[in-house]
Amino acid sequence: MNDVVILDPAKHSQLKLTAPDYSHVAEQHILPISLHEFAAAASDSPVVFVKNSNTGEFQPVVILGLMPGQNIKQHEGKWLGRYIPNILKDYPLTVVLNPDEQDKVWIGIREENPQVSSTDGEPLFDGVEETPFLTQRKEALIKHFEEDQQTKAVMRYFADNELFISQTLNVSVKGEPRSINGLYLIDEDKLNQLDDEAFLGLRKRGLLGPIYSHLTSLHQINRLAAEHAAAE
């Protein structure tokens, strides 16, 4: 279902996309987001960071459940959260990197996905020409891809300045303690200890807003616990 092929008008001229169905993330308790999504995502869910044990790279994510395999923002294909991450808005389309030409990308599609149809939904092509619907989706895909690349650079900047700290989030659900491990936060103590030049550097880069959105979002863990209790 998740195999990606390059979108080709000669091959996919009859394809259409039906309304979004979020069943494919029913068991994902975190989803990646970009720095540009922090403010909106923080109004609904905790925004934290995880570390790739193989590459050492950090990735911002939203927490959607209190344990692996649980997504309480999704129910029977419907999204219950206030904010829908870009990775879900783009699905089942995706950007495919061109290994031979670093400045070029392709648009890929998961053609076996249930949202892909030859009879129902919004058409991707009118003959060999892309429809306005596909043009809009492609523009959003490219924009989100560029934001992801910018986010990776910022994560390296945070890591180089040792602003990440490993943290366990603790919450109570109906009086029962729960812990979410393997997370990283921005270290407030180190942030406050930055000299004026370093702090000004964060401001000039436009990073103070996302940092404070992340820190404020941690209060959403209580909302997540309440949603978890209601779901149970």
Side-chain angles (χ1 to χ4, degrees):
M1 183 182 298
N2 290 313
D3 289 344
V4 175
V5 298
I6 303 300
L7 193 60
D8 180 358
K11 179 182 178 183
H12 301 127
S13 62
Q14 302 302 314
L15 291 191
K16 303 178 181 181
L17 295 185
T18 59
D21 183 303
Y22 304 103
S23 301
H24 63 287
V25 292
E27 297 181 355
Q28 291 192 225
H29 71 298
I30 59 173
L31 280 178
I33 60 172
S34 75
L35 203 72
H36 303 73
E37 299 178 77
F38 276 32
S43 68
D44 186 43
S45 301
V47 175
V48 296
F49 307 89
V50 294
K51 185 179 183 180
N52 186 310
S53 58
N54 294 322
T55 65
E57 295 182 339
F58 289 90
Q59 168 71 55
V61 298
V62 286
I63 302 178
L64 306 172
L66 298 182
M67 62 185 69
Q70 176 203 58
N71 181 350
I72 59 179
K73 300 290 185 179
Q74 185 279 154
H75 180 66
E76 295 181 350
K78 305 295 183 182
W79 193 256
L80 307 181
R82 297 181 181 181
Y83 179 72
I84 303 175
N86 287 340
I87 193 171
L88 296 184
K89 295 175 185 175
D90 294 336
Y91 200 85
L93 300 175
T94 187
V95 166
V96 179
L97 296 178
N98 186 333
D100 299 320
E101 300 179 70
Q102 296 297 321
D103 60 338
K104 291 186 179 181
V105 297
W106 291 301
I107 302 300
I109 186 170
R110 298 168 175 86
E111 57 185 0
E112 298 301 320
N113 187 270
Q115 288 178 239
V116 179
S117 171
S118 60
T119 57
D120 302 313
E122 292 281 355
L124 300 180
F125 296 99
D126 181 5
V128 295
E129 300 294 328
E130 64 183 46
T131 61
F133 170 76
L134 178 57
T135 299
Q136 184 180 33
R137 293 290 297 264
K138 285 175 61 177
E139 290 174 351
L141 271 169
I142 298 300
K143 177 185 177 185
H144 296 159
F145 171 75
E146 292 172 345
E147 291 174 348
D148 287 341
Q149 300 309 301
Q150 294 165 10
T151 297
K152 289 181 179 180
V154 172
M155 293 303 102
R156 289 192 292 269
Y157 179 78
F158 285 168
D160 290 344
N161 285 274
E162 300 181 338
L163 289 179
F164 290 119
I165 185 172
S166 178
Q167 189 72 49
T168 296
L169 292 184
N170 299 307
V171 66
S172 176
V173 180
K174 296 181 179 179
E176 177 186 346
R178 302 283 180 92
S179 297
I180 308 177
N181 303 306
L183 307 179
Y184 289 82
L185 311 180
I186 294 294
D187 189 333
E188 287 191 77
D189 289 337
K190 287 187 178 179
L191 183 66
N192 293 329
Q193 292 168 9
L194 291 176
D195 59 35
D196 291 345
E197 182 180 356
F199 193 83
L200 183 61
L202 289 175
R203 194 186 77 177
K204 287 182 175 179
R205 288 171 175 258
L207 300 179
L208 291 182
I211 287 175
Y212 291 133
S213 290
H214 148 64
L215 293 173
T216 302
S217 79
L218 300 179
H219 297 293
Q220 299 293 356
I221 193 69
N222 294 321
R223 170 186 287 181
L224 202 64
E227 293 172 339
H228 178 95
E232 286 187 339

